[in-house]
DNA sequence: GCTTGACTTCAACATATGTTCAACCCTCAG
DNA sequence: CTGAGGGTTGAACATATGTTGAAGTCAAGC
């Protein structure tokens, strides 16, 4: 089994930043907080794999629906390096579920506020 | 037409805080940023109307789905003092729409990321 | 093997969202 | 009218999410 071990982690901070549309400082920030992962060269420079820009783009979407960086890092916790479409799909699914749950909770609590006439009286 | 002008703005900071489940400092923060409105007594103390606690509770829900305090203040911009159920309903509706729009955008962009195989490859 | 451009860390700054504290002021029940 | 309890402002602190800049190191093409 000669599985060729290709250089999977090859992108620099700037490359990832350009690919994902954020500043290099943000790339370092996301690594520090576990949203993305890097290996280091012998000279201590970060190298990222191809999936990194995708993680960042998903992270930005997640922030928009209310997830914190910590929550996003947790979401990605069991995402392997170089994930396949199936693994990405699972993460995306979980993110959508979480977002929909928040909206469902929003609706439910708004309804509560409206019915428990005492506190508030939203729509009826 | 002797419309009795009842004391509509009568609650103190602490009362609103207790009613809405946040700290008094947060109540002052929300007033400062236009999420809630106060009138002042002759001695310069804040007085809020009964709808204030409701605004705050809705604001907390809105934050959970990704709206900033500024966005929430804008949402409440055309909410009158002492709003009726109809006005509350309109605000609640707009908030739900906004939240659902964000989730829809999340789904759409996740789909884009998955289809434009070049960038990412989420689920297929 | 150099030089130049990119990378490193660390600290300071910036904004958003609050909390805490000190010093002072108002309100209202008795 | 007075005093206790709560309100006021402002500054400092705290956390989250980044950006900027300085001082020094690495990488890679010539």
């Amino acid at each position: 089994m000669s599985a060729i071990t290709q250089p999977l982690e090859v992108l620099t901070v700037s490359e990832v930043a350009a690919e994902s549309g954020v500043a290099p400082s943000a790339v370092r920030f996301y690594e520090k907080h576990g949203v993305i992962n890097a290996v280091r060269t012998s000279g201590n420079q970060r190298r990222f794999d191809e999936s990194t820009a995708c993680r960042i783009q998903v992270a930005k979407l997640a922030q928009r629906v209310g997830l914190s960086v910590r929550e996003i890092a947790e979401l990605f916790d069991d995402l392997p390096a170089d994930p396949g479409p199936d693994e990405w799909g699972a993460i995306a699914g979980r993110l959508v579920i979480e977002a929909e749950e928040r909206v469902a909770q929003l609706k439910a609590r708004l309804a509560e506020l409206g019915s428990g006439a005492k506190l508030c009286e939203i729509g009826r």
Side-chain angles (χ1 to χ4, degrees), chain A:
Chain A
M1 280 320 107
S2 59
I4 42 177
T5 304
Q6 295 223 113
L8 286 176
E9 321 250 330
V10 66
L11 301 172
T12 66
V13 166
S14 289
E15 285 163 348
V16 167
E19 256 188 60
S20 56
V22 304
S25 60
V27 172
R28 296 193 183 94
F29 179 86
Y30 292 139
E31 191 220 357
K32 187 175 176 184
H33 290 82
V35 170
I36 59 179
N37 302 115
V39 296
R40 297 296 180 126
T41 65
S42 58
N44 196 38
Q45 297 196 355
R46 292 172 185 83
R47 290 297 181 267
F48 302 92
D49 71 44
E50 291 292 348
S51 74
T52 303
C54 191
R55 278 185 183 230
I56 292 174
Q57 288 176 61
V58 172
K60 294 315 261 180
L61 295 176
Q63 284 183 307
R64 179 79 181 162
V65 293
L67 279 78
S68 68
V69 164
R70 179 172 304 280
E71 287 169 329
I72 295 164
E74 279 164 20
L75 177 69
F76 287 162
D77 250 5
D78 52 354
L79 185 63
D82 199 28
D86 49 342
E87 284 139 340
W88 268 125
I91 293 297
R94 283 209 269 146
L95 175 53
V96 168
I97 296 279
E98 172 66 29
E100 284 175 338
E101 210 167 286
R102 290 186 183 205
V103 174
Q105 193 158 95
L106 169 69
K107 288 179 180 174
R109 302 237 167 121
L110 284 176
E112 278 174 41
L113 289 180
S115 62
K118 221 38 178 304
L119 284 174
C120 286
E121 26 179 340
I122 291 176
R124 183 85 359 260

